[in-house]
């Protein structure tokens, strides 16, 4: 019985086993296939991940350096072409091997052949490489990934080849501004851009077109007599107004930041500028419309230069300046052509020996007839892709002649020379043969370093150093990334920005350690003695924001130690501000109430002054900011204010006279006039604010009863070393005490918008009562 059961059982087991083996074989093949398939899918995803990472890194490199990171040209692309992945529309020009060594902290799954000893002779023998097209910036993996009998070389398919191109931001290291598109030309023949996409060299899309003028050697960016002007000196830049001389506003391209200063600095930093390809037409055909730089337009003539030499509104200067705003150009500033810019074009033309003869005799390449022609209508009147600079309309410039005349350029029927100057017209003179031309200079880009994940030391290109707190970024914008020009940092979380004040360690001749507080302070006082006042001292007094003398001294000692060890300290880039205007305040108002209503003080642009606070409230508010900044913050001690002034002087940003006697050139006072083009202003002591626009660009505080109160960073003119409004606008509370007046111990610095600059320069001190708060007093953050 048992034996029979065993036999029966054995028979069933063999059949089941056979079926099981078949099933297992089938399943095994499916599993093996799926594993293989999954592996191939993984390979494809790895390649796509590589290309995504490379695209980001290359884009960042391109933005920073103006070129793509490449090494050798690569021509072994037949397989990629066969796959239909190279576009005739976008993938123009050559392909190159991506220089992986130029891209920091990059980990890739493929591309190992880059580690080989690649040369022009052998590079096409390698395929485990990533290559890039020089025009589209499209990236390909030469070896490719095979999946389901299909080869993949990039992270898109042949159906998308015309959708993966990059908008060119640089051509031959020349930046194409935001909102503009490359049209054609080279740096030698004239790079042409348009504000309309897909425009062409014939301007058929009717975009405003401009041409890049290279200034590779800034030492040659000066006005010059090319043989047909009437200059008393052949080469000069900044002659003062005088009879018989041509001149322009003084500029050194570094500190003052007026329009001409910013233009000079931009040309220096970017090695050139853009000039309108065509003489200006206007949108509505009148002399007050929007400026155009388009082909086949009627030249805008009969337009005055301005209302006077002092009032540049109402004519060509204003229309040119408005062009950028009217067209929403964010990367550039538009101006009427400066004389030095015209001469830069002449110098560029003269470098081409086949064209240099036209500088003094332009009759064959300019319209010197009795009637005007439309802009760009004659191809013969084009040099370096720019039309009608010789002849046609005389063109207003920013250059002046003598004491009351404006210079025109381009030649006349009597003097047929493209380089000639004509200085015989007042600002308000109009005629039917005089027009103008617009130029554009590139604005500074805001760039920031990665966030410091721990405190560290930054060293700039001049080997000057600064201490960077945790959580901050260092500005990489030109003019903000060196200690000498005013190093700027920003807290990523709070958005507050600060400027480094260098205090040289060489000043400590008596201090022996970081706790030798008395001698540290004495050495600082000796260093900044020109800005000290014997009637003031950094000592505790009741109402300064600290409960007692011990707390005050503890904070002061922290500051002294930090400055001694780190070689400087940070101050708010601008006066303390808040999101909405403070209309009034009471000395008894709690700090918590102030924070609930107005928030913590901010050191940021376009904020309303954080006024109507007592010194005690200001100190408590400043201290609380430090909790967000991961650093010690407070009001500025008196010695810190003095050290700021000393550093401004030492950096040659402002003279001692401009700091101690007359701060009119860079401060907002009741008798100072200047242009305000951003932010807001108030003529009723902060009760109401009005937006500053180009419709009202010039504000003269002396014409108002109370002067003009500005929001933070409203005028670059009121800054030095990237620090705004240390002179004028609002008084600033400090922790300094006026020892000569026990009833008014608190000390404010710097003057305000309601005061005369000759009496209240940046170094000025003013005592105030213990319960004082007002619309003209605010404060500034110090960080150390």
């Amino acid at each position: 019985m048992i034996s029979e059961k065993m036999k029966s059982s054995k028979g069933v087991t063999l059949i089941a086993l056979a079926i099981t083996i078949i099933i297992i074989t089938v399943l095994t093949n499916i599993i093996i296939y799926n594993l293989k398939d999954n592996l191939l899918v993984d390979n494809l995803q790895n390649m796509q991940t590589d290309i995504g990472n490379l695209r980001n890194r290359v884009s960042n490199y391109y933005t920073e350096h103006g070129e793509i990171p490449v090494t050798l040209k690569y021509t072994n692309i037949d397989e990629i072409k066969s796959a239909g992945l190279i576009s005739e529309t976008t993938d123009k020009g050559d392909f190159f091997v991506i220089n992986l060594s130029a891209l920091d902290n990059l980990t890739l799954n493929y591309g190992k052949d880059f580690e080989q000893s690649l040369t022009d002779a052998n590079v096409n023998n390698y395929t485990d490489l990533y290559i890039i097209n020089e025009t589209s910036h499209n990236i390909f993996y030469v070896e490719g990934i095979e999946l389901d009998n299909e080869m993949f070389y990039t992270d898109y398919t042949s159906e998308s080849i015309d959708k993966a191109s990059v908008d060119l931001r640089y051509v031959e290291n020349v930046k194409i501004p935001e909102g503009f598109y490359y049209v054609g030309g080279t740096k030698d023949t004239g790079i042409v851009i348009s504000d309309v996409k897909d425009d062409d060299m014939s301007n058929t899309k009717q975009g405003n077109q401009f041409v890049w003028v290279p200034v590779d050697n800034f030492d040659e960016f000066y006005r010059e007599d090319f043989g047909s002007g009437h200059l008393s000196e052949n080469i000069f830049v900044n002659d003062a107004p005088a009879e018989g001389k041509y001149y322009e506003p003084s500029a050194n391209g570094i500190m003052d930041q007026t329009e001409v200063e910013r233009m000079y600095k931009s040309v220096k930093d970017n090695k050139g500028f853009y000039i309108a390809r065509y003489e200006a037409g206007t949108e509505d055909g009148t002399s007050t419309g929007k400026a155009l730089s388009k082909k086949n337009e009627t030249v805008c003539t009969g337009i005055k230069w301005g209302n006077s030499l002092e009032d540049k509104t109402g004519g060509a200067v204003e229309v040119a300046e408005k062009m950028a705003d009217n067209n929403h150009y964010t990367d550039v500033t538009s101006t009427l052509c400066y004389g030095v810019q015209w001469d830069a074009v002449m110098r560029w033309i003269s470098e081409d020996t086949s064209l240099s003869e036209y500088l003094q005799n332009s009759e064959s390449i300019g319209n010197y007839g009795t009637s005007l022609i439309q802009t760009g209508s004659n191809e013969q009147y084009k040099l370096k892709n720019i039309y009608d600079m010789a002849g046609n309309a005389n063109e207003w410039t920013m250059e002046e002649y003598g004491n009351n005349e404006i210079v025109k350029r381009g030649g006349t029927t009597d003097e047929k020379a493209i380089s000639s100057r004509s200085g015989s017209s007042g600002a308000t003179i109009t005629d039917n043969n005089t027009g103008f031309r617009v130029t554009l200079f590139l604005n500074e880009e805001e760039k920031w370093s990665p966030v410091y994940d721990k405190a560290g030391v930054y060293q700039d290109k001049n080997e000057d150093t600064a201490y960077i707190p945790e959580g901050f970024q260092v500005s990489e914008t030109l003019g903000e990334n060196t200690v000498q020009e005013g190093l700027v940092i920003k807290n990523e979380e709070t958005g507050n920005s600060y400027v480094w004040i260098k205090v040289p360690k060489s000043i400590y001749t008596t201090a022996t350690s970081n706790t030798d507080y008395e001698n540290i302070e004495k050495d600082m006082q000796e260093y900044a003695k020109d800005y000290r006042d014997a009637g003031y001292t950094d000592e505790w007094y009741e109402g300064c924001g600290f409960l007692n003398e011990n707390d005050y001294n503890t904070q002061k000692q922290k500051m002294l130690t930090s400055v001694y060890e780190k070689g400087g300290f940070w101050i708010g880039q601008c006066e303390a501000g808040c999101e909405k205007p403070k209309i009034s305040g009471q000395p008894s108002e709690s700090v918590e109430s102030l924070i609930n209503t107005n928030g913590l003080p901010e050191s940021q642009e376009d904020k309303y002054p954080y006024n109507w606070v007592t010194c005690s409230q200001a100190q408590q508010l400043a201290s609380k900011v430090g909790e967000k900044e991961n650093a010690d913050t407070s009001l500025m001690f008196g010695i810190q204010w003095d050290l700021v002034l000393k550093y401004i002087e030492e950096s040659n940003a402002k003279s001692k006279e401009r700091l101690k006697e007359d701060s009119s050139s860079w401060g907002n006072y009741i008798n100072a006039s200047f242009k305000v083009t951003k932010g807001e202003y108030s003529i009723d002591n902060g009760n109401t604010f009005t937006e500053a626009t180009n419709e009202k660009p010039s504000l003269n505080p002396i014409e108002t009863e109370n002067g003009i109160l500005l929001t933070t960073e409203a005028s670059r003119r009121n800054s030095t070393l990237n620090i705004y409004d240390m002179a004028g606008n609002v008084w600033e509370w400090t922790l300094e005490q006026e020892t000569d007046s026990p009833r008014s111990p608190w000390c404010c610095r710097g003057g305000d918008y309601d005061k005369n600059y000759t009496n209240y320069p940046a170094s000025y001190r003013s005592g105030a009562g213990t319960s004082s708060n007002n619309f003209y007093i605010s404060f500034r953050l110090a960080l150390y």
Side-chain angles (χ1 to χ4, degrees):
M1 189 70 163
I2 294 175
S3 175
E4 289 177 359
K5 286 183 178 180
M6 290 179 66
K7 289 179 182 180
S8 175
S9 176
K10 183 178 180 181
V12 173
T13 300
L14 290 173
I15 295 172
L17 180 61
I19 295 173
T20 300
I21 291 172
I22 293 172
I23 293 173
I24 290 173
T25 301
V26 171
L27 290 174
T28 300
N29 287 335
I30 292 174
I31 292 170
I32 292 172
Y33 177 79
N34 283 340
L35 288 173
K36 178 183 177 183
D37 191 49
N38 286 339
L39 180 61
L40 293 176
V41 169
D42 287 344
N43 291 342
L44 179 59
Q45 290 177 340
N46 288 338
M47 184 264 284
Q48 292 171 337
T49 298
D50 280 359
I51 289 179
N53 289 335
L54 282 168
R55 184 176 289 115
N56 289 334
R57 295 299 183 88
V58 168
S59 177
N60 292 337
Y61 187 95
Y62 178 60
T63 299
E64 181 177 356
H65 299 283
E67 59 187 3
I68 53 178
V70 296
T71 53
L72 304 173
K73 186 183 295 187
Y74 195 88
T75 59
N76 184 15
I77 57 174
D78 291 343
E79 297 297 330
I80 302 174
K81 279 185 177 178
S82 299
L85 291 171
I86 295 180
S87 166
E88 293 182 0
T89 303
T90 60
D91 296 319
K92 298 177 180 179
D94 295 319
F95 289 82
F96 294 87
V97 176
I98 297 177
N99 181 8
L100 302 182
S101 62
L103 306 175
D104 296 330
N105 301 318
L106 179 66
T107 301
L108 298 175
N109 298 289
Y110 303 109
K112 303 301 181 185
D113 280 349
F114 182 77
E115 300 171 3
Q116 304 297 325
S117 299
L118 302 180
T119 65
D120 288 326
N122 68 15
V123 65
N124 286 311
N125 297 329
Y126 294 94
T127 57
D128 187 12
L129 291 171
Y130 284 104
I131 62 173
I132 186 170
N133 180 262
E134 65 175 334
T135 303
S136 69
H137 297 187
N138 289 331
I139 298 171
F140 303 92
Y141 178 52
V142 179
E143 189 170 300
I145 300 295
E146 184 177 2
L147 179 63
D148 292 339
N149 296 318
E150 183 177 359
M151 293 298 297
F152 295 84
Y153 297 96
T154 188
D155 56 353
Y156 57 88
T157 63
S158 58
E159 288 79 12
S160 303
I161 59 172
D162 291 334
K163 300 178 182 178
S165 63
V166 67
D167 283 333
L168 285 179
R169 293 297 310 281
Y170 293 88
V171 173
E172 296 186 61
N173 290 337
V174 173
K175 181 183 177 183
I176 310 301
E178 189 73 27
F180 286 88
Y181 305 90
Y182 171 64
V183 174
T186 66
K187 193 174 177 181
D188 178 57
T189 63
I191 292 171
V192 179
I193 62 172
S194 172
D195 59 6
V196 172
K197 193 171 185 179
D198 299 325
D199 204 357
D200 53 33
M201 294 293 278
S202 298
N203 197 208
T204 57
K205 298 292 186 181
Q206 282 290 282
N208 289 303
Q209 292 191 343
F210 296 84
V211 177
W212 179 254
V213 180
V215 183
D216 291 324
N217 183 1
F218 186 73
D219 290 338
E220 295 181 354
F221 191 57
Y222 50 73
R223 286 172 294 152
E224 184 172 352
D225 179 357
F226 288 93
S228 55
H230 305 286
L231 308 185
S232 58
E233 299 177 40
N234 286 336
I235 299 174
F236 60 88
V237 175
N238 297 325
D239 273 4
E243 289 295 337
K245 288 189 177 183
Y246 294 85
Y247 60 93
E248 280 179 332
S250 176
N252 60 31
I254 300 296
M255 296 299 182
D256 291 343
Q257 297 298 298
T258 59
E259 178 182 90
V260 69
E261 293 283 351
R262 292 190 297 119
M263 181 273 287
Y264 263 68
K265 188 173 189 304
S266 176
V267 172
K268 182 178 183 180
D269 293 341
N270 297 289
K271 298 184 182 303
F273 61 93
Y274 284 100
I275 191 168
R277 196 178 187 203
Y278 307 99
E279 292 172 316
T282 56
E283 191 171 58
D284 58 4
T286 72
S287 61
T288 57
K290 295 180 180 179
L292 305 175
S293 176
K294 300 179 181 181
K295 193 169 188 174
N296 294 325
E297 296 285 338
T298 299
V299 182
C300 176
T301 59
I303 186 171
K304 60 186 177 182
W305 185 82
N307 290 325
S308 69
L309 291 180
E310 291 72 32
D311 180 4
K312 297 177 175 62
T313 61
V317 177
E318 183 177 18
V319 174
E321 288 182 346
K322 283 185 176 181
M323 187 176 188
D325 285 341
N326 288 337
N327 292 282
H328 308 291
Y329 301 156
T330 58
D331 263 9
V332 292
T333 296
S334 59
T335 70
L336 188 66
C337 185
Y338 280 86
V340 69
Q341 292 177 310
W342 192 284
D343 288 339
V345 179
M346 299 301 100
R347 196 170 293 107
W348 179 35
I349 291 172
S350 69
E351 291 172 358
D352 189 330
T353 55
S354 66
L355 302 178
S356 59
E357 63 180 284
Y358 297 124
L359 265 62
Q360 282 77 46
N361 183 1
S362 309
E363 188 170 6
S364 63
I365 49 94
N367 173 32
Y368 293 100
T370 57
S371 61
L372 297 174
I373 60 174
Q374 289 186 308
T375 59
S377 58
N378 190 327
E379 291 297 308
Q380 185 177 341
Y381 300 159
K382 177 180 69 175
L383 290 174
K384 298 289 190 180
N385 281 325
I386 309 169
Y387 287 86
D388 299 313
M389 286 192 78
N392 214 31
N394 264 332
E395 298 184 25
W396 289 120
T397 70
M398 291 299 291
E399 194 169 11
E400 300 173 15
Y401 175 77
N403 292 319
N404 57 8
E405 297 180 3
I406 310 299
V407 176
K408 301 174 185 178
R409 302 296 295 268
T412 65
T413 55
D414 296 326
E415 190 169 359
K416 299 180 176 67
I418 189 174
S419 62
S420 69
R421 286 172 163 84
S422 172
S424 58
S425 296
T428 60
I429 301 298
T430 62
D431 65 64
N432 292 329
N433 293 313
T434 300
F436 66 99
R437 190 180 299 260
V438 179
T439 60
L440 306 177
F441 64 83
L442 294 166
N443 297 333
E444 288 185 306
E445 286 188 22
E446 186 175 287
K447 300 178 182 178
W448 297 95
S449 73
V451 176
Y452 278 59
D453 57 5
K454 60 181 179 180
V457 175
Y458 169 82
Q459 185 178 70
D460 66 19
K461 64 181 182 182
N462 302 318
E463 299 186 358
D464 288 325
T465 59
Y467 173 81
I468 314 299
E470 179 183 344
F472 280 80
Q473 299 169 280
V474 178
S475 176
E476 294 180 346
T477 301
L478 291 172
E480 295 184 351
N481 61 351
T482 67
V483 172
Q484 184 179 2
E485 292 179 292
L487 181 67
V488 179
I489 61 169
K490 179 179 69 174
N491 186 296
E492 183 191 39
E493 181 180 344
T494 66
N496 292 327
S497 58
Y498 300 83
V499 176
W500 180 251
I501 305 302
K502 179 181 177 181
V503 182
K505 294 187 177 182
S506 60
I507 72 169
Y508 302 109
T509 58
T510 60
T512 58
S513 72
N514 62 1
T515 58
D516 188 2
Y517 307 119
E518 181 178 354
N519 285 320
I520 291 174
E521 186 175 14
K522 284 182 179 179
D523 287 338
M524 289 179 175
Q525 291 172 345
E526 175 62 24
Y527 173 63
K529 62 184 178 182
D530 289 334
Y531 303 99
R532 300 293 300 159
D533 189 315
Y536 293 82
T537 182
D538 287 323
E539 294 181 8
W540 179 81
Y541 51 92
E542 189 171 354
C544 67
F546 292 92
L547 291 176
N548 52 55
E549 185 174 1
N550 183 65
D551 289 350
Y552 179 97
N553 288 335
T554 298
Q555 190 67 41
K556 178 180 172 181
Q557 289 168 1
K558 282 185 179 180
M559 181 272 293
L560 293 173
T561 295
S562 178
V563 177
Y564 178 87
E565 290 181 336
K566 299 179 175 67
F569 60 97
W570 299 97
I571 64 165
Q573 187 171 18
C574 44
E575 294 163 325
C578 50
E579 291 291 339
K580 58 183 181 180
K582 288 182 91 283
I583 305 303
S584 64
Q586 299 296 326
S588 60
E589 189 173 4
S590 70
V591 171
E592 288 71 20
S593 176
L594 287 169
I595 294 173
N596 289 335
T597 305
N598 299 98
L600 286 173
E602 297 172 317
S603 177
Q604 301 174 30
E605 65 178 342
D606 297 331
K607 302 299 180 184
Y608 298 98
Y610 210 123
N611 49 11
W612 291 108
V613 291
T614 66
C615 182
S616 178
Q617 291 168 334
Q619 166 52 30
Q620 292 176 67
L621 288 166
S623 178
K624 287 184 176 295
V625 174
E627 298 172 9
K628 298 287 186 180
E629 309 285 39
N630 296 316
D632 281 304
T633 52
S634 69
L635 295 185
M636 293 175 66
F637 287 88
I639 185 60
Q640 288 180 291
W641 191 282
D642 298 332
L643 289 170
V644 173
L645 299 180
K646 182 64 177 177
Y647 186 57
I648 293 172
E649 177 198 338
E650 290 285 298
S651 300
N652 295 317
K654 300 294 177 190
S655 67
K656 190 183 299 184
E657 179 188 6
R658 293 287 177 262
L659 298 168
K660 292 190 66 175
E661 299 175 19
D662 180 357
S663 299
S664 60
S665 63
W666 62 291
N668 175 23
Y669 298 95
I670 196 169
N671 53 348
S673 296
F674 51 89
K675 177 179 286 190
V676 179
T677 56
K678 66 185 293 289
E680 298 181 22
Y681 64 94
S682 172
I683 59 174
D684 58 5
N685 299 323
N687 290 303
T688 59
F689 280 84
T690 302
E691 182 180 1
T693 68
N694 281 337
E695 298 302 318
K696 190 175 176 61
S698 295
L699 304 176
N700 189 346
I702 204 167
E703 296 174 355
T704 69
E705 182 179 353
N706 299 312
I708 293 176
L709 176 64
L710 299 174
T711 53
T712 55
E713 293 194 27
S715 176
R716 180 72 180 178
R717 175 256 190 200
N718 298 342
S719 70
T720 183
L721 291 183
N722 295 312
I723 309 165
Y724 285 81
D725 296 310
M726 292 249 347
N729 206 41
V730 289
W731 290 100
E732 300 183 24
W733 287 122
T734 69
L735 292 172
E736 196 169 33
Q737 176 186 173
E738 184 181 12
T739 56
D740 293 343
S741 179
R743 290 180 299 176
S744 302
W746 299 350
C747 178
C748 302
R749 301 292 294 267
D752 74 89
Y753 66 94
D754 196 33
K755 296 294 186 294
N756 186 310
Y757 58 74
T758 54
N759 297 323
Y760 301 94
S763 63
Y764 192 81
R765 292 168 165 83
S766 176
T770 55
S771 60
S772 296
N773 69 343
N774 221 313
F775 52 81
Y776 53 76
I777 306 177
S778 183
F779 57 99
R780 189 181 300 263
L781 300 170
L783 182 148
Y784 39 88

